[in-house]
Amino acid sequence: MADEAPFQLLHSEVIQYIYKSAEGETESGRNVTKLENIGFRVGQGLIERLTKDTARFKDELDIMKFICKDFWTCVFKKQIDNLRTNHQGIYVLQDNKFGLLSHLSVGKQYLEHAPKYLAFTCGLVRGALSNLGVKSIVTSEVSVMPSYSKKQTAEFIKLHRDSGDTNQN
Amino acid sequence: MNTNMAVCIAVIAKENYPLYIRSVPTQNELKFHYTVHTSLDVVEEKISAVGKALGDQRELYLGLLYPTEDYKMFRKLHNSFTDVMCNPFHNPGDTIQSKAFDGIVSGMMVQTA
């Protein structure tokens, strides 16, 4: 699809850039954090734009559904394929054909690099939730599913609601 | 021509501190600031009372003191706020220092000579 290409390419370039400018330093996960922070700020702005005209959300589940449908569609032109929750603050969003990974060959060899390609998106979700008043930790997982005739790459983003209300600032 | 003009406009962050506050210079300016603070309580009340969502756009507005026409004003303000948030040079949580935002607000406030 023509409109997905610019964002995908830009995303890859951002990752390359960050890693290139950190050459020489030990891979301490700082780069992944930088990518996540970029995603965070983008998520904040994006959610403000998207929710300008929507009704107030009833509850957290409502917010998560919005992320899975409208938000995901805006960024990735498709919805989340599966949403699961334990109703206690953990949500798992599953995307069976995650757009930012589609250019990586299917197979185990690139799995170790996958976190780089997920960091921005994790930040994006965290930023969006933050401006909706939900504190969270967003993590991700990639697995290759050998079901069906073709292998598919699925991405899971687990969301833990931060219940650190014991420390009031 | 909008006949409803504001005497005080404030944008409050979710942590309850003002990101932006401006009032028409008068002697009772402090009174406006107090009013802004008390209105926060009313907002909280209204929010907690929303069990059944109306799913209606007015929900964003809550229509506290004077409903109806002020809604247009709120919309303009909200749109302007969204633009500020999308400005890459603005850090969410900082006070709002955008000239464009100031312009929109001026357009809504009672003009003093």
Side-chain angles (χ1 to χ4, degrees):
Chain A
M1 284 253 163
D3 6 82
E4 286 152 10
F7 176 52
Q8 267 185 23
L9 293 171
L10 182 64
H11 180 251
S12 296
E13 277 310 302
V14 170
I15 295 176
Q16 298 270 53
Y17 176 77
I18 293 214
Y19 274 81
K20 230 186 162 95
S21 21
E23 228 149 63
E25 297 172 20
T26 47
E27 168 65 48
S28 56
R30 272 231 311 247
N31 295 331
V32 170
T33 306
K34 278 190 201 163
L35 286 162
E36 214 261 357
N37 287 337
I38 293 176
F40 182 79
R41 182 64 185 94
V42 173
Q44 286 182 303
L46 193 57
I47 202 75
E48 289 290 343
R49 277 226 184 275
L50 288 180
T51 54
K52 228 179 9 172
D53 300 316
T54 57
R56 192 175 285 281
F57 296 111
K58 281 192 294 246
D59 55 23
E60 205 174 77
L61 186 58
D62 220 22
I63 292 181
M64 293 312 299
K65 287 190 194 159
F66 182 83
I67 300 273
C68 292
K69 298 197 199 150
D70 304 62
F71 189 76
W72 216 252
T73 304
C74 172
V75 185
F76 300 108
K77 308 286 185 292
K78 67 180 280 286
Q79 295 188 0
I80 282 281
D81 297 305
N82 194 354
L83 170 68
R84 300 198 298 273
T85 176
N86 66 354
H87 294 290
Q88 277 163 26
I90 299 195
Y91 300 84
V92 181
L93 288 70
Q94 185 175 334
D95 188 332
N96 292 333
K97 205 162 180 287
F98 187 55
L100 297 176
L101 285 175
S102 57
H103 62 288
L104 291 182
S105 316
V106 171
K108 297 238 161 72
Q109 74 230 96
Y110 291 120
L111 273 186
E112 57 164 292
H113 291 290
K116 294 184 202 170
Y117 288 88
L118 297 169
F120 177 85
T121 306
C122 289
L124 199 69
V125 175
R126 191 169 65 88
L129 289 172
S130 165
N131 271 36
L132 291 176
V134 178
K135 283 214 200 105
S136 64
I137 300 172
V138 181
T139 58
S140 63
E141 242 176 74
V142 180
S143 62
V144 178
M145 305 208 299
S147 50
Y148 321 125
S149 48
K150 296 189 263 193
K151 287 192 179 172
Q152 282 189 349
T153 312
E155 187 213 356
F156 303 80
I157 302 185
K158 285 198 185 105
L159 177 87
H160 310 259
R161 184 167 30 87
D162 184 17
S163 52
D165 292 314
T166 45
N167 303 330
Q168 294 279 349
N169 287 355
Chain B
M1 177 79 171
N2 191 8
T3 48
N4 265 333
M5 298 294 241
V7 288
C8 174
I9 291 186
V11 177
I12 312 285
K14 50 184 169 8
E15 292 87 8
N16 285 345
Y17 62 87
L19 288 174
Y20 186 91
I21 183 160
R22 192 155 130 206
S23 28
V24 165
T26 61
Q27 287 140 335
N28 289 341
E29 219 166 314
L30 203 54
K31 184 166 151 233
F32 290 146
H33 288 231
Y34 284 147
T35 311
V36 168
H37 271 277
T38 34
S39 63
L40 284 180
D41 291 332
V42 185
V43 171
E44 283 226 36
E45 229 178 278
K46 290 235 173 189
I47 290 184
S48 55
V50 174
K52 17 193 160 203
L54 301 169
D56 166 282
Q57 186 156 26
R58 292 193 148 239
E59 268 212 67
L60 275 182
Y61 178 50
L62 298 185
L64 298 173
L65 303 172
Y66 300 108
T68 65
E69 285 143 32
D70 297 332
Y71 184 63
K72 241 196 296 182
M73 211 191 282
F74 174 76
R75 279 275 296 195
K76 249 201 260 172
L77 198 70
H78 192 184
N79 286 343
S80 198
F81 173 74
T82 305
D83 289 338
V84 169
M85 281 301 288
C86 291
N87 179 352
F89 297 109
H90 176 257
N91 280 326
D94 288 351
T95 48
I96 295 174
Q97 281 156 338
S98 148
K99 290 210 178 79
F101 192 79
D102 275 339
I104 300 262
V105 171
S106 302
M108 291 186 207
M109 299 198 59
V110 170
Q111 305 297 328
T112 48

